[in-house]
Amino acid sequence: MIDLIRLGQGWTLGFLIAAPIGPVGLMCFERSIRTGFLAGIASGIGAALADGFYAAAAGFGIISITNFLKTNKQVIAFGGCALLIGMGIYSLLQSRPKKTAVNMQTAPKAAISVIAYTMQTFAITMTNPATIISFVGAFTSVAILQGTHDFTSASILVSGVFLGSLSWWFILCGGALMLRHRLSEKTISYVNKVMAMGLIFFGCVLLVGYL
């Protein structure tokens, strides 16, 4: 019973931390509309994996990782900003919806595309050191780490965070897919351009903030 509660606590934290719409959310939404559900959820999985990594760092108390992120915060942040701006420009140039999106699963390069989408969002999420601060603060505020703190309980907590984050990306990408079928090709192209410019905007704002 305690394990289920801990899993539920981790799920709630993962869902709530992932839910606010930011650059990764825009990217998943834009890819779902432009390319299809598979591309969007692959991007979401990358973000969920990064959230799980940060949750593990906080949950297992990996001080060396935390110190590394704090020490190299500015360099890591600059890398993330460059990735955001680059992906925004790429998405802007590829803003038209792909009519062959349904064939993505059977295309020879499908696996490579999925891995690329996952790694891109993983890298962008990982370059936001503030994420680990969110997890540490959340864990402390709800007293999740008080009481028994062993490998098993921490693993359950981290698993819950990953599942909670992944749940949000399924909801977001599913909603984008439903919207995609209701919009004309011209409207989808316009939405994709707005999303791409949003990524560039986020990247520039974050870059200025770290200067």
Side-chain angles (χ1 to χ4, degrees), residues 51-67:
D51 286 343
F53 174 86
Y54 277 126
F60 293 112
I62 306 176
I63 304 301
S64 58
I65 294 178
T66 305
N67 290 337

Side-chain angles (χ1 to χ4, degrees), residues 132-151:
I132 193 171
I133 298 175
S134 299
F135 279 114
V136 172
F139 287 176
T140 303
S141 63
V142 298
I144 289 180
L145 297 182
Q146 293 182 1
T148 303
H149 178 48
D150 52 27
F151 181 83

Side-chain angles (χ1 to χ4, degrees), residues 25 27 29 33 44-46 50 68 70 74 79 122 125 137 151 169 173-174 188 195 209:
M27 185 176 296
F29 191 86
I33 290 181
I45 290 174
F68 174 81
K70 289 181 179 179
Q74 194 168 28
F122 177 81
T125 306
F151 181 83
W169 299 120
C173 295
I188 292 175
M195 294 292 179

Side-chain angles (χ1 to χ4, degrees), residues 29-30 33 183 186-196:
F29 191 86
E30 185 270 337
I33 290 181
L183 301 177
K186 183 177 180 180
T187 302
I188 292 175
S189 179
Y190 175 76
V191 171
N192 287 337
K193 288 181 179 179
V194 172
M195 294 292 179

